Amino acid sequence: MKDFNLRKENSIGIFDSGVGGVSVLKEVTAILPNENCIYYGDSLNAPYGEKTPEEIFELVHNVVKHLFAQNVKAILIACNTATSVAVATLREMYPEISFIGMEPAIKKAVSTDKINKVLVMATPVTLKLDKYQNLQHKLENQAEFLSVECPGLAKRIESVDFEGEDLKQMLREFLEPYKGQVDNVVLGCTHYPFVKKQISEILGDIPLIDGGKGTALQLQRVLREKNLLNDQTEAGRIVFESSKDTEEELAIYKKLYDMYEV
Ligand code: DGL
């Protein structure tokens, strides 16, 4: 049985199937600049969103064990797909450690003034599993939800070429049917914020909502409650790791981190 030695100065472990969670890491370091963070991208096994839940759970569990070995004090699952599949089981298996998960931020898309038409973009697994279905069901009388599975999109974003015509074509195929039909869009996969500009080029000037900031705030609340916020005054250390363990891959994570604006 693992002996968790949870201390304020330990790192926070943050992971995703690949580059997507870097968008969440950036929100975390904006809100918690003094925290040490280890970012792990499972790029070798990306995308998760088109695998079976059993395959995804095994991959996620391996990443979690890898982060435990580095004595993390909490784990942020910066991936909607991995959260849908694994967070409940992980919390049962390891009650000593806090797991902060992600879900498509549809609560933020609801308006009190009118019944918004909300388009939710996510991976096939996220949209199918109970976690999202139950969430949508709870909000059903406050908005009209449409959803679009985007197979292939996270994988395409892993290539970090955001200008290619093939990416634009892929996005047009997913989104053109909704042009002029929806009030806002929820980006229910942490890879998608990297192509916000390309999404807006198709759907026009409507709000694109993601859960990165809300999740970072939730992490802050959890650490505060557990008295685990790092009280060092200097800036925290950020370490990038990847299952595709090459200089190039780690340079990509770092570049996306520097480039992404929150
Ligand atoms: N970034 C992920 C998410 O938030 C997973 C994408 C994938 O690997 O399919 O769902």
Side-chain angles (χ1 to χ4, degrees):
M1 167 115 179
K2 165 117 184 83
D3 178 22
F4 290 94
N5 184 7
L6 304 179
R7 288 184 315 210
K8 292 179 177 189
E9 60 273 26
N10 293 5
S11 297
I12 300 163
I14 301 179
F15 76 91
D16 177 44
S17 62
V19 300
V22 172
S23 62
V24 186
L25 171 70
K26 192 71 180 263
E27 302 279 5
V28 168
T29 55
I31 290 170
L32 297 167
N34 308 109
E35 295 291 342
N36 302 317
C37 298
I38 300 172
Y39 181 82
Y40 187 92
D42 196 6
S43 291
L44 196 61
N45 296 305
Y48 282 179
E50 293 144 55
K51 294 186 163 54
T52 65
E54 292 74 22
E55 284 167 332
I56 297 168
F57 186 82
E58 197 183 334
L59 292 169
V60 167
H61 196 200
N62 286 338
V63 176
V64 162
K65 286 187 278 189
H66 171 79
L67 292 170
F68 285 165
Q70 300 184 71
N71 245 337
V72 294
K73 62 181 175 182
I75 292 187
L76 194 169
I77 308 177
C79 175
N80 296 263
T81 310
T83 302
S84 318
V85 170
V87 76
T89 311
L90 290 170
R91 285 178 180 145
E92 267 172 36
M93 289 172 79
Y94 305 106
E96 308 86 338
I97 196 118
S98 302
F99 290 94
I100 292 88
M102 296 201 67
E103 60 189 14
I106 61 175
K107 289 181 203 143
K108 274 171 73 183
V110 168
S111 156
T112 46
D113 301 336
K114 68 183 211 339
I115 297 286
N116 267 345
K117 260 196 174 183
V118 179
L119 178 64
V120 184
M121 296 172 69
T123 68
V125 168
T126 298
L127 291 174
K128 270 189 203 97
L129 289 185
D130 286 354
K131 188 166 190 339
Y132 175 73
Q133 289 297 325
N134 293 341
L135 176 69
Q136 187 189 305
H137 188 63
K138 270 196 225 142
L139 297 173
E140 207 149 71
N141 51 3
Q142 296 175 56
E144 187 180 331
F145 294 103
L146 306 168
S147 55
V148 57
E149 294 184 358
C150 303
L153 183 54
K155 184 166 194 293
R156 178 60 187 77
I157 291 170
E158 281 289 302
S159 76
V160 297
D161 158 21
F162 301 139
E163 296 307 324
E165 187 48 39
D166 63 313
L167 172 64
K168 291 185 184 157
Q169 179 56 27
M170 183 185 256
L171 285 168
R172 277 198 292 272
E173 274 164 30
F174 290 134
L175 298 176
E176 231 147 42
Y178 303 99
K179 193 172 173 181
Q181 307 294 315
V182 293
D183 296 298
N184 55 34
V185 181
V186 172
L187 306 178
C189 166
T190 54
H191 281 67
Y192 304 166
F194 290 117
V195 293
K196 270 187 193 161
K197 178 172 81 80
Q198 293 77 353
I199 293 172
S200 294
E201 277 165 15
I202 299 165
L203 292 178
D205 187 19
I206 55 172
L208 304 180
I209 299 166
D210 70 75
K213 185 169 181 192
T215 305
L217 288 168
Q218 174 63 8
L219 170 67
Q220 183 183 39
R221 276 191 290 275
V222 169
L223 292 176
R224 186 177 294 131
E225 252 167 46
K226 307 241 155 166
N227 198 21
L228 280 174
L229 279 172
N230 196 332
D231 35 33
Q232 69 178 345
T233 48
E234 63 265 37
R237 258 187 341 269
I238 304 170
V239 174
F240 291 98
E241 295 184 350
S242 172
S243 50
K244 237 191 217 174
D245 190 16
T246 60
E247 292 280 314
E248 292 79 14
E249 192 64 16
L250 298 177
I252 286 172
Y253 293 3
K254 172 85 176 58
K255 184 170 158 213
L256 287 178
Y257 177 80
D258 290 338
M259 174 200 111
Y260 188 69
E261 285 172 24
V262 297

